[in-house]
Amino acid sequence: MLKTAIISGKGGTGKTLVSTNLANIISKKGIKTLLCDADAEEPDSGIFFGLKKICGENVLKKIPEVDLKKCSLCSLCVDSCNFSAIHISKSKSIILDSLCHGCGLCKMICPERAITERDKEIGVVNTYHVNQNLSFMEGRLNIGEPSAVPVIRQLKHSITDEYEYVLVDSPPGCSCSVVETLRECDYALVITEPTPFGMHDLKMALTVLKDMEIPYSVVLNRWDKESQPYEEEIIKAGGKIIMKIPYDRRIAGSYSHGKLISEEYEEYGNMFNTLFIKLKCEVEGI
């Protein structure tokens, strides 16, 4: 199984465009393919496929509860919590669910054994069937929950060995959610655009990949004849451009109607086919 993450330093660069069309092309080769949407705060990759739901799995987080009859107000749990999720007043301990990461440390170290845990549903992992060679999974974080990391972790743990190729559509940026998405991935495709913001955030994404020692290539979206300075900047930052997607109004039109450009236009089908061949060579050459 080969796992490739599709990431970007900022939102709106074309991650979903690349991941959905690439998954479509790979599956057409008879390769058992799984597309995972790890952007759990706003998963939208499924819009581009006719989906038949197979199952859904709730994501639970352990939230501590304090038995005030046993609690001695020693504040050991408060001092040990890295997320300031526990506070002590003169008469009781207070748990802030929104700050708690469910690590279980407070329960482990409580000398009075006054802390137990309850399950809190924070999201869901859904699995869908697209066609014989393509499946789709998504993580969905419940509205109001502060961190998508547990949802992404469970999404990745739900991946089975039946797939030959797994594409993971990452959240935008370089946050904890992105780092969790990248864990255990063999390769990364970094999607960027020829703008000052695109270059700034690309460099941050490349820093994360270098720190995690994950090999990568760059896809330059919305490319035109004015993009040469940005291409040079990408190369200077250590990026290898393996695909340039032109600035084409037809892409925006198809995308806005939830259609795959690799299906709508032969030239883009060929382009993503070439991308897969290059990607395969890059991964196998690691």
Side-chain angles (χ1 to χ4, degrees):
M1 180 193 298
L2 292 173
K3 279 186 191 174
T4 299
I6 292 89
I7 75 167
S8 66
K10 63 182 287 294
T13 59
K15 281 187 299 79
T16 301
L17 174 73
V18 172
S19 59
T20 52
N21 283 280
L22 185 57
N24 178 55
I25 290 297
I26 296 174
S27 67
K28 283 192 168 185
K29 295 179 177 294
I31 299 172
K32 201 75 171 175
T33 307
L34 174 65
L35 172 61
C36 294
D37 194 339
D39 189 1
E41 293 182 55
E42 195 175 4
D44 59 0
S45 297
I47 294 171
F48 298 88
F49 302 99
L51 299 175
K52 181 180 179 181
K53 189 171 180 178
I54 300 174
C55 63
E57 181 183 2
N58 291 334
V59 180
L60 305 175
K61 181 172 74 172
K62 296 290 185 181
I63 300 295
E65 289 187 329
V66 180
D67 185 341
L68 298 178
K69 295 179 180 179
K70 294 181 179 180
C71 180
S72 63
L73 303 177
C74 68
S75 79
L76 182 60
C77 56
V78 176
D79 297 336
S80 301
C81 182
N82 289 325
F83 308 103
S84 301
I86 307 178
H87 294 268
I88 289 182
S89 67
K90 291 182 179 180
S91 59
K92 64 180 180 178
S93 299
I94 301 170
I95 308 294
L96 302 179
D97 289 10
S98 60
L99 295 180
C100 179
H101 281 53
C103 67
L105 177 62
C106 55
K107 177 185 176 183
M108 186 185 305
I109 66 173
C110 179
E112 309 298 338
R113 296 186 179 180
I115 299 178
T116 57
E117 292 176 325
R118 61 179 171 85
D119 288 330
K120 179 184 179 183
E121 182 183 330
I122 63 168
V124 65
V125 172
N126 293 318
T127 302
Y128 301 87
H129 173 77
V130 181
N131 57 49
Q132 182 179 357
N133 294 312
L134 179 60
S135 296
F136 173 70
M137 294 176 64
E138 65 174 6
R140 284 188 175 271
L141 183 70
N142 289 350
I143 294 173
E145 290 297 328
S147 174
V149 170
V151 177
I152 296 170
R153 187 177 296 130
Q154 186 158 322
L155 172 68
K156 293 173 63 183
H157 286 171
S158 300
I159 298 172
T160 60
D161 295 332
E162 63 184 292
Y163 303 103
E164 296 177 58
Y165 217 100
V166 177
L167 297 173
V168 187
D169 187 358
S170 167
C174 299
S175 65
C176 296
S177 296
V178 177
V179 172
E180 183 59 41
T181 300
L182 286 168
R183 291 189 201 279
E184 301 172 5
C185 282
D186 304 295
Y187 201 83
L189 272 180
V190 190
I191 319 301
T192 191
E193 60 186 12
T195 64
F197 280 129
M199 292 302 103
H200 176 271
D201 295 345
L202 168 73
K203 292 172 184 176
M204 291 196 297
L206 295 188
T207 299
V208 173
L209 290 168
K210 290 171 185 175
D211 287 346
M212 296 183 72
E213 299 182 346
I214 297 174
Y216 59 86
S217 297
V218 176
V219 172
L220 182 58
N221 192 18
R222 303 188 186 96
W223 173 87
D224 60 20
K225 62 181 180 180
E226 305 296 329
S227 301
Q228 182 62 35
Y230 295 102
E231 293 181 49
E232 295 172 359
E233 193 169 346
I234 291 170
I235 294 170
K236 286 181 182 178
K240 178 182 179 181
I241 303 172
I242 63 170
M243 182 181 184
K244 301 174 188 176
I245 304 174
Y247 202 134
D248 187 344
R249 187 180 180 88
R250 293 178 301 166
I251 296 177
S254 295
Y255 195 87
S256 65
H257 288 91
K259 296 180 179 179
L260 298 170
I261 59 172
S262 55
E263 291 288 329
E264 293 278 291
Y265 305 105
E266 183 179 357
E267 62 194 276
Y268 287 119
N270 293 335
M271 183 179 291
F272 278 96
N273 184 61
T274 301
L275 173 62
F276 174 61
I277 294 171
K278 290 182 178 179
L279 180 60
K280 194 170 182 290
C281 291
E282 291 289 330
V283 173
E284 291 178 351
I286 296 174

